[in-house]
Amino acid sequence: MEDELFPRERAEVAPGAVHVVDWLDAEEQRALLAACRDWARPPAGLRTVRTPGGGTMTARQVCLGWHWYPYAYARTAVDGDGSPVKPFPDWLGALGRRAVADALGPDAVPAAPYDIALINFYDGDARMGMHRDADEKADAPVVSLSLGDTCVFRFGNTGTRTKPYTDVELRSGDLFVFGGPSRLAYHGVPRVRPGTAPAGLGLAGRLNITLRVSGL
Ligand SMILES: O=C(O)CCC(=O)C(=O)O
């Protein structure tokens, strides 16, 4: 994707919400992908999330540290195989803090450690509806890393699921951080562009790794 007329640039999409392009290099992406493949294995591996209304999320998910299910956290995969959630590794927390420092500056790095990772896997048809990350008891910035296929990431406002919003293209290696006045903004993924992952990565589909501080 180096043939663009204009180079992609880092952008502040909303106050406290910053898109950093190409944050992970090819080697870092491969290493994170290998870790995601391990985490996706059972027990407490990749699962389909069912919503209370009887629907299913099209992106499949695995969690580290705390297991998210609609709409709370547990220490076991209560809506999966019931196994204890896999531990949240220190190196991933360090990556999260570095991401916040690079995107929002050193003063925005939270005092409390990152202790939740949600890893979402999207095939070509998967989507994620507009929602807020509101089940945590801490206001630390959310860190979002993308691997594989490009997606359209819709970043909205704190009041409604609808406009105004900004559509951002997230590519493999991109970082998106949202905190401060944007911490509770609605966001979602209306589209994945199949077949757009970097050739050397070895991933068909898209992975998103979202890091949060639980405050639990
Ligand atoms: O896949 C993405 O980029 C967004 C994921 C997300 O919004 C979430 O896990 O809450």
mmCIF file of all heavy atoms in Angstrom, residues 57 59 61 118-120 122 128-129 131-133 142 144-146 151-153 170 178 187-189 206-210 212, ligand 1:
data_model
loop_
_atom_site.group_PDB
_atom_site.id
_atom_site.type_symbol
_atom_site.label_atom_id
_atom_site.label_comp_id
_atom_site.label_asym_id
_atom_site.label_seq_id
_atom_site.Cartn_x
_atom_site.Cartn_y
_atom_site.Cartn_z
ATOM 1 N N MET A 57 -22.792 -11.764 17.830
ATOM 2 C CA MET A 57 -21.840 -10.826 17.229
ATOM 3 C C MET A 57 -21.116 -11.550 16.099
ATOM 4 O O MET A 57 -20.751 -12.721 16.245
ATOM 5 C CB MET A 57 -20.840 -10.349 18.285
ATOM 6 C CG MET A 57 -21.411 -9.302 19.222
ATOM 7 S SD MET A 57 -20.307 -8.883 20.597
ATOM 8 C CE MET A 57 -18.780 -8.492 19.768
ATOM 9 N N ALA A 59 -18.173 -10.665 14.799
ATOM 10 C CA ALA A 59 -16.753 -10.775 15.129
ATOM 11 C C ALA A 59 -16.640 -11.762 16.284
ATOM 12 O O ALA A 59 -17.350 -11.641 17.275
ATOM 13 C CB ALA A 59 -16.189 -9.422 15.524
ATOM 14 N N GLN A 61 -14.476 -13.571 19.427
ATOM 15 C CA GLN A 61 -13.679 -12.866 20.438
ATOM 16 C C GLN A 61 -13.020 -13.803 21.437
ATOM 17 O O GLN A 61 -13.578 -14.847 21.788
ATOM 18 C CB GLN A 61 -14.611 -11.916 21.191
ATOM 19 C CG GLN A 61 -13.914 -10.928 22.093
ATOM 20 C CD GLN A 61 -14.934 -10.018 22.767
ATOM 21 O OE1 GLN A 61 -15.512 -10.394 23.775
ATOM 22 N NE2 GLN A 61 -15.162 -8.849 22.196
ATOM 23 N N LEU A 118 -9.301 -7.465 24.750
ATOM 24 C CA LEU A 118 -10.327 -8.127 23.937
ATOM 25 C C LEU A 118 -9.715 -8.291 22.550
ATOM 26 O O LEU A 118 -9.270 -7.304 21.955
ATOM 27 C CB LEU A 118 -11.586 -7.260 23.828
ATOM 28 C CG LEU A 118 -12.700 -7.463 24.869
ATOM 29 C CD1 LEU A 118 -12.162 -7.379 26.273
ATOM 30 C CD2 LEU A 118 -13.799 -6.440 24.658
ATOM 31 N N ILE A 119 -9.689 -9.507 22.069
ATOM 32 C CA ILE A 119 -9.140 -9.755 20.733
ATOM 33 C C ILE A 119 -10.307 -10.178 19.856
ATOM 34 O O ILE A 119 -10.957 -11.204 20.122
ATOM 35 C CB ILE A 119 -8.045 -10.840 20.769
ATOM 36 C CG1 ILE A 119 -6.863 -10.343 21.618
ATOM 37 C CG2 ILE A 119 -7.549 -11.161 19.360
ATOM 38 C CD1 ILE A 119 -6.676 -11.024 22.898
ATOM 39 N N ASN A 120 -10.602 -9.355 18.861
ATOM 40 C CA ASN A 120 -11.749 -9.612 17.970
ATOM 41 C C ASN A 120 -11.234 -10.084 16.630
ATOM 42 O O ASN A 120 -10.336 -9.456 16.051
ATOM 43 C CB ASN A 120 -12.542 -8.315 17.752
ATOM 44 C CG ASN A 120 -13.152 -7.801 19.041
ATOM 45 O OD1 ASN A 120 -13.939 -8.496 19.673
ATOM 46 N ND2 ASN A 120 -12.770 -6.597 19.456
ATOM 47 N N TYR A 122 -12.328 -10.750 12.752
ATOM 48 C CA TYR A 122 -13.332 -10.434 11.730
ATOM 49 C C TYR A 122 -12.998 -11.195 10.460
ATOM 50 O O TYR A 122 -11.898 -11.032 9.912
ATOM 51 C CB TYR A 122 -13.292 -8.948 11.364
ATOM 52 C CG TYR A 122 -13.599 -7.971 12.475
ATOM 53 C CD1 TYR A 122 -12.656 -7.676 13.458
ATOM 54 C CD2 TYR A 122 -14.815 -7.301 12.500
ATOM 55 C CE1 TYR A 122 -12.934 -6.743 14.447
ATOM 56 C CE2 TYR A 122 -15.098 -6.357 13.491
ATOM 57 C CZ TYR A 122 -14.156 -6.092 14.465
ATOM 58 O OH TYR A 122 -14.422 -5.167 15.440
ATOM 59 N N MET A 128 -19.029 -4.714 13.481
ATOM 60 C CA MET A 128 -19.349 -4.453 14.893
ATOM 61 C C MET A 128 -20.191 -3.201 14.956
ATOM 62 O O MET A 128 -19.804 -2.157 14.405
ATOM 63 C CB MET A 128 -18.074 -4.325 15.731
ATOM 64 C CG MET A 128 -18.381 -4.354 17.230
ATOM 65 S SD MET A 128 -16.932 -4.388 18.274
ATOM 66 C CE MET A 128 -16.338 -6.050 18.056
ATOM 67 N N GLY A 129 -21.345 -3.310 15.588
ATOM 68 C CA GLY A 129 -22.272 -2.186 15.666
ATOM 69 C C GLY A 129 -21.740 -1.078 16.578
ATOM 70 O O GLY A 129 -20.815 -1.284 17.373
ATOM 71 N N HIS A 131 -21.229 1.125 19.582
ATOM 72 C CA HIS A 131 -21.360 0.836 21.014
ATOM 73 C C HIS A 131 -20.351 1.696 21.770
ATOM 74 O O HIS A 131 -19.438 2.271 21.172
ATOM 75 C CB HIS A 131 -21.081 -0.647 21.279
ATOM 76 C CG HIS A 131 -19.650 -1.006 20.976
ATOM 77 N ND1 HIS A 131 -19.191 -1.244 19.693
ATOM 78 C CD2 HIS A 131 -18.568 -1.113 21.780
ATOM 79 C CE1 HIS A 131 -17.893 -1.484 19.725
ATOM 80 N NE2 HIS A 131 -17.487 -1.411 20.974
ATOM 81 N N ARG A 132 -20.505 1.735 23.105
ATOM 82 C CA ARG A 132 -19.527 2.411 23.952
ATOM 83 C C ARG A 132 -18.829 1.368 24.815
ATOM 84 O O ARG A 132 -19.447 0.368 25.199
ATOM 85 C CB ARG A 132 -20.217 3.427 24.867
ATOM 86 C CG ARG A 132 -20.914 4.525 24.098
ATOM 87 C CD ARG A 132 -21.365 5.631 25.003
ATOM 88 N NE ARG A 132 -22.235 5.137 26.073
ATOM 89 C CZ ARG A 132 -22.550 5.839 27.152
ATOM 90 N NH1 ARG A 132 -22.063 7.052 27.320
ATOM 91 N NH2 ARG A 132 -23.357 5.352 28.052
ATOM 92 N N ASP A 133 -17.565 1.585 25.146
ATOM 93 C CA ASP A 133 -16.861 0.695 26.074
ATOM 94 C C ASP A 133 -17.137 1.242 27.474
ATOM 95 O O ASP A 133 -16.374 2.076 27.986
ATOM 96 C CB ASP A 133 -15.355 0.691 25.773
ATOM 97 C CG ASP A 133 -15.047 0.152 24.380
ATOM 98 O OD1 ASP A 133 -15.954 -0.405 23.735
ATOM 99 O OD2 ASP A 133 -13.887 0.293 23.946
ATOM 100 N N VAL A 142 -8.596 3.880 25.994
ATOM 101 C CA VAL A 142 -8.677 2.575 25.323
ATOM 102 C C VAL A 142 -7.644 2.565 24.195
ATOM 103 O O VAL A 142 -7.508 3.541 23.459
ATOM 104 C CB VAL A 142 -10.090 2.352 24.741
ATOM 105 C CG1 VAL A 142 -10.148 1.078 23.904
ATOM 106 C CG2 VAL A 142 -11.119 2.287 25.871
ATOM 107 N N SER A 144 -6.296 0.535 20.810
ATOM 108 C CA SER A 144 -6.803 -0.394 19.803
ATOM 109 C C SER A 144 -5.750 -0.604 18.717
ATOM 110 O O SER A 144 -5.265 0.358 18.117
ATOM 111 C CB SER A 144 -8.092 0.223 19.225
ATOM 112 O OG SER A 144 -8.408 -0.377 18.008
ATOM 113 N N LEU A 145 -5.396 -1.864 18.496
ATOM 114 C CA LEU A 145 -4.379 -2.218 17.494
ATOM 115 C C LEU A 145 -5.018 -3.087 16.428
ATOM 116 O O LEU A 145 -5.834 -3.957 16.751
ATOM 117 C CB LEU A 145 -3.247 -2.999 18.167
ATOM 118 C CG LEU A 145 -2.438 -2.219 19.210
ATOM 119 C CD1 LEU A 145 -1.636 -3.165 20.094
ATOM 120 C CD2 LEU A 145 -1.520 -1.229 18.516
ATOM 121 N N SER A 146 -4.636 -2.869 15.191
ATOM 122 C CA SER A 146 -5.241 -3.609 14.078
ATOM 123 C C SER A 146 -4.194 -4.450 13.357
ATOM 124 O O SER A 146 -3.066 -4.003 13.137
ATOM 125 C CB SER A 146 -5.856 -2.634 13.069
ATOM 126 O OG SER A 146 -6.968 -1.979 13.645
ATOM 127 N N CYS A 151 -10.028 -2.115 7.698
ATOM 128 C CA CYS A 151 -11.463 -1.953 7.988
ATOM 129 C C CYS A 151 -11.829 -0.476 7.964
ATOM 130 O O CYS A 151 -10.958 0.399 7.993
ATOM 131 C CB CYS A 151 -11.819 -2.532 9.356
ATOM 132 S SG CYS A 151 -11.411 -1.442 10.732
ATOM 133 N N VAL A 152 -13.117 -0.223 7.925
ATOM 134 C CA VAL A 152 -13.631 1.120 8.180
ATOM 135 C C VAL A 152 -14.014 1.143 9.655
ATOM 136 O O VAL A 152 -14.833 0.337 10.105
ATOM 137 C CB VAL A 152 -14.848 1.440 7.301
ATOM 138 C CG1 VAL A 152 -15.410 2.817 7.650
ATOM 139 C CG2 VAL A 152 -14.480 1.351 5.831
ATOM 140 N N PHE A 153 -13.373 2.023 10.406
ATOM 141 C CA PHE A 153 -13.652 2.192 11.833
ATOM 142 C C PHE A 153 -14.436 3.490 11.970
ATOM 143 O O PHE A 153 -13.976 4.549 11.530
ATOM 144 C CB PHE A 153 -12.334 2.267 12.593
ATOM 145 C CG PHE A 153 -12.462 2.462 14.076
ATOM 146 C CD1 PHE A 153 -13.004 1.465 14.879
ATOM 147 C CD2 PHE A 153 -12.015 3.634 14.678
ATOM 148 C CE1 PHE A 153 -13.108 1.642 16.254
ATOM 149 C CE2 PHE A 153 -12.112 3.817 16.050
ATOM 150 C CZ PHE A 153 -12.655 2.810 16.836
ATOM 151 N N LEU A 170 -8.624 1.808 9.113
ATOM 152 C CA LEU A 170 -7.575 1.233 9.959
ATOM 153 C C LEU A 170 -6.920 0.086 9.197
ATOM 154 O O LEU A 170 -7.597 -0.859 8.790
ATOM 155 C CB LEU A 170 -8.157 0.704 11.269
ATOM 156 C CG LEU A 170 -8.720 1.728 12.250
ATOM 157 C CD1 LEU A 170 -9.147 1.035 13.545
ATOM 158 C CD2 LEU A 170 -7.700 2.822 12.555
ATOM 159 N N PHE A 178 -8.332 6.179 22.301
ATOM 160 C CA PHE A 178 -9.343 7.185 22.653
ATOM 161 C C PHE A 178 -9.511 7.259 24.169
ATOM 162 O O PHE A 178 -9.703 6.269 24.836
ATOM 163 C CB PHE A 178 -10.673 6.975 21.927
ATOM 164 C CG PHE A 178 -11.293 5.619 22.024
ATOM 165 C CD1 PHE A 178 -12.358 5.389 22.892
ATOM 166 C CD2 PHE A 178 -10.863 4.576 21.229
ATOM 167 C CE1 PHE A 178 -12.968 4.148 22.966
ATOM 168 C CE2 PHE A 178 -11.457 3.313 21.294
ATOM 169 C CZ PHE A 178 -12.511 3.105 22.164
ATOM 170 N N HIS A 187 -18.546 3.864 18.925
ATOM 171 C CA HIS A 187 -17.670 3.495 17.812
ATOM 172 C C HIS A 187 -18.073 2.114 17.310
ATOM 173 O O HIS A 187 -18.748 1.362 18.024
ATOM 174 C CB HIS A 187 -16.198 3.515 18.250
ATOM 175 C CG HIS A 187 -15.893 2.621 19.413
ATOM 176 N ND1 HIS A 187 -16.160 2.978 20.720
ATOM 177 C CD2 HIS A 187 -15.399 1.364 19.475
ATOM 178 C CE1 HIS A 187 -15.811 1.994 21.527
ATOM 179 N NE2 HIS A 187 -15.347 0.987 20.794
ATOM 180 N N GLY A 188 -17.651 1.785 16.101
ATOM 181 C CA GLY A 188 -17.993 0.478 15.538
ATOM 182 C C GLY A 188 -17.211 0.231 14.263
ATOM 183 O O GLY A 188 -16.399 1.056 13.827
ATOM 184 N N VAL A 189 -17.443 -0.935 13.686
ATOM 185 C CA VAL A 189 -16.735 -1.331 12.461
ATOM 186 C C VAL A 189 -17.794 -1.734 11.428
ATOM 187 O O VAL A 189 -18.285 -2.860 11.431
ATOM 188 C CB VAL A 189 -15.769 -2.512 12.732
ATOM 189 C CG1 VAL A 189 -15.097 -2.988 11.434
ATOM 190 C CG2 VAL A 189 -14.717 -2.121 13.757
ATOM 191 N N ARG A 206 -9.255 -9.998 9.727
ATOM 192 C CA ARG A 206 -8.759 -8.874 10.541
ATOM 193 C C ARG A 206 -8.779 -9.226 12.018
ATOM 194 O O ARG A 206 -9.745 -9.842 12.492
ATOM 195 C CB ARG A 206 -9.624 -7.630 10.304
ATOM 196 C CG ARG A 206 -9.309 -6.489 11.245
ATOM 197 C CD ARG A 206 -10.063 -5.214 10.917
ATOM 198 N NE ARG A 206 -9.576 -4.147 11.771
ATOM 199 C CZ ARG A 206 -10.175 -3.754 12.900
ATOM 200 N NH1 ARG A 206 -11.304 -4.324 13.306
ATOM 201 N NH2 ARG A 206 -9.664 -2.790 13.634
ATOM 202 N N LEU A 207 -7.742 -8.846 12.725
ATOM 203 C CA LEU A 207 -7.715 -8.953 14.184
ATOM 204 C C LEU A 207 -7.636 -7.558 14.773
ATOM 205 O O LEU A 207 -6.912 -6.701 14.255
ATOM 206 C CB LEU A 207 -6.484 -9.740 14.640
ATOM 207 C CG LEU A 207 -6.568 -11.257 14.559
ATOM 208 C CD1 LEU A 207 -5.186 -11.853 14.750
ATOM 209 C CD2 LEU A 207 -7.532 -11.818 15.602
ATOM 210 N N ASN A 208 -8.413 -7.341 15.817
ATOM 211 C CA ASN A 208 -8.300 -6.102 16.579
ATOM 212 C C ASN A 208 -7.994 -6.481 18.012
ATOM 213 O O ASN A 208 -8.641 -7.357 18.579
ATOM 214 C CB ASN A 208 -9.603 -5.297 16.506
ATOM 215 C CG ASN A 208 -9.598 -4.165 17.506
ATOM 216 O OD1 ASN A 208 -10.218 -4.248 18.556
ATOM 217 N ND2 ASN A 208 -8.867 -3.120 17.218
ATOM 218 N N ILE A 209 -6.991 -5.820 18.568
ATOM 219 C CA ILE A 209 -6.609 -6.063 19.964
ATOM 220 C C ILE A 209 -6.915 -4.775 20.711
ATOM 221 O O ILE A 209 -6.326 -3.723 20.427
ATOM 222 C CB ILE A 209 -5.098 -6.422 20.084
ATOM 223 C CG1 ILE A 209 -4.793 -7.696 19.302
ATOM 224 C CG2 ILE A 209 -4.684 -6.587 21.531
ATOM 225 C CD1 ILE A 209 -4.303 -7.481 17.910
ATOM 226 N N THR A 210 -7.867 -4.846 21.632
ATOM 227 C CA THR A 210 -8.290 -3.666 22.387
ATOM 228 C C THR A 210 -7.833 -3.836 23.829
ATOM 229 O O THR A 210 -8.154 -4.846 24.454
ATOM 230 C CB THR A 210 -9.821 -3.537 22.326
ATOM 231 O OG1 THR A 210 -10.199 -3.178 21.000
ATOM 232 C CG2 THR A 210 -10.322 -2.467 23.259
ATOM 233 N N ARG A 212 -7.695 -2.301 27.767
ATOM 234 C CA ARG A 212 -8.450 -1.423 28.669
ATOM 235 C C ARG A 212 -7.945 -1.604 30.102
ATOM 236 O O ARG A 212 -7.385 -2.647 30.419
ATOM 237 C CB ARG A 212 -9.946 -1.763 28.641
ATOM 238 C CG ARG A 212 -10.548 -1.782 27.249
ATOM 239 C CD ARG A 212 -11.983 -2.248 27.295
ATOM 240 N NE ARG A 212 -12.556 -2.360 25.952
ATOM 241 C CZ ARG A 212 -13.761 -2.855 25.696
ATOM 242 N NH1 ARG A 212 -14.529 -3.277 26.694
ATOM 243 N NH2 ARG A 212 -14.213 -2.933 24.463
HETATM 244 O O1 LIG B 1 -12.389 -3.879 15.897
HETATM 245 C C1 LIG B 1 -12.289 -2.710 16.233
HETATM 246 O O2 LIG B 1 -11.520 -1.928 15.676
HETATM 247 C C2 LIG B 1 -13.170 -2.177 17.348
HETATM 248 C C3 LIG B 1 -13.368 -3.148 18.466
HETATM 249 C C4 LIG B 1 -14.275 -2.611 19.523
HETATM 250 O O3 LIG B 1 -14.899 -1.610 19.333
HETATM 251 C C5 LIG B 1 -14.414 -3.285 20.805
HETATM 252 O O4 LIG B 1 -13.810 -4.350 21.027
HETATM 253 O O5 LIG B 1 -15.145 -2.763 21.662
#
